[in-house]
Amino acid sequence: MNENDLHAQREATAIQYFRLVDAADPALLELFADDAQMFFPKFGTAKGLAQIGAFAQGFARGIADIEHDIAHFNVLTSGDYVVVEGAVKGETTSGVEFPDGSSTFGLFCNVFEFQGEKIKRLHIYEDPDFAGTHTDGASWGQSVRDSM
């Protein structure tokens, strides 16, 4: 496989990751190398398929529906990395729709590092407060918005 084909395969794998997340499909784990690691804010790092699977199950317990806006992703590839910037919407299991456009915005950036065709490392940069309930940590933002 030449470098262009490998980059295209890696981009396709990154996009497939989001499709599988949206579908809550356990086949998601097949995209990762056995010793992969994944970071998510307020969670930390999961190492290996068992921990990544446990994270996915825990994440799913709080989300009733999730949909990434795949058609409007910004995808950048360089070497072993694929970076995806985009937006997500959905509903928590408590019935809160996100984003609310006021304190939650549904924006994220994921950095995928690949080893061959498998995801070796994934760092997810996203506000984990989908329901906008972590007001203490973001009160400064509201006060600034109110003064504008």
Side-chain angles (χ1 to χ4, degrees):
M1 180 178 299
N2 69 39
E3 188 173 339
N4 289 335
D5 291 341
L6 184 58
H7 283 174
Q9 177 59 48
R10 289 171 171 174
E11 288 179 9
T13 297
I15 299 302
Q16 181 65 5
Y17 164 87
F18 292 103
R19 288 190 175 107
L20 294 172
V21 167
D22 290 354
D25 189 331
L28 175 78
L29 290 177
E30 296 170 14
L31 302 178
F32 288 88
D34 291 341
D35 62 346
Q37 48 181 296
M38 185 197 76
F39 169 82
F40 190 84
K42 302 291 187 191
F43 171 80
T45 302
K47 296 179 180 178
L49 296 178
Q51 288 185 7
I52 293 170
F55 166 84
Q57 289 176 345
F59 180 83
R61 282 195 296 265
I63 303 294
D65 184 51
I66 191 166
E67 180 184 346
H68 291 86
D69 186 8
I70 294 171
H72 295 101
F73 279 178
N74 292 316
V75 180
L76 305 164
T77 301
S78 180
D80 291 335
Y81 294 89
V82 175
V83 178
V84 179
E85 177 187 52
V88 63
K89 66 180 181 178
E91 184 177 345
T92 67
T93 52
S94 60
V96 176
E97 291 185 10
F98 62 88
D100 66 15
S102 175
S103 66
T104 64
F105 300 94
L107 302 176
F108 68 88
C109 186
N110 283 17
V111 179
F112 296 84
E113 181 182 357
F114 283 85
Q115 182 174 43
E117 296 180 24
K118 297 282 189 173
I119 300 167
K120 174 181 176 178
R121 183 177 69 86
L122 170 58
H123 281 200
I124 301 168
Y125 299 100
E126 173 173 30
D127 183 354
D129 182 18
F130 295 107
T133 58
H134 306 164
T135 56
D136 288 347
S139 59
W140 67 268
Q142 183 62 48
S143 67
V144 170
R145 279 192 303 275
D146 291 345
S147 70
M148 294 169 71

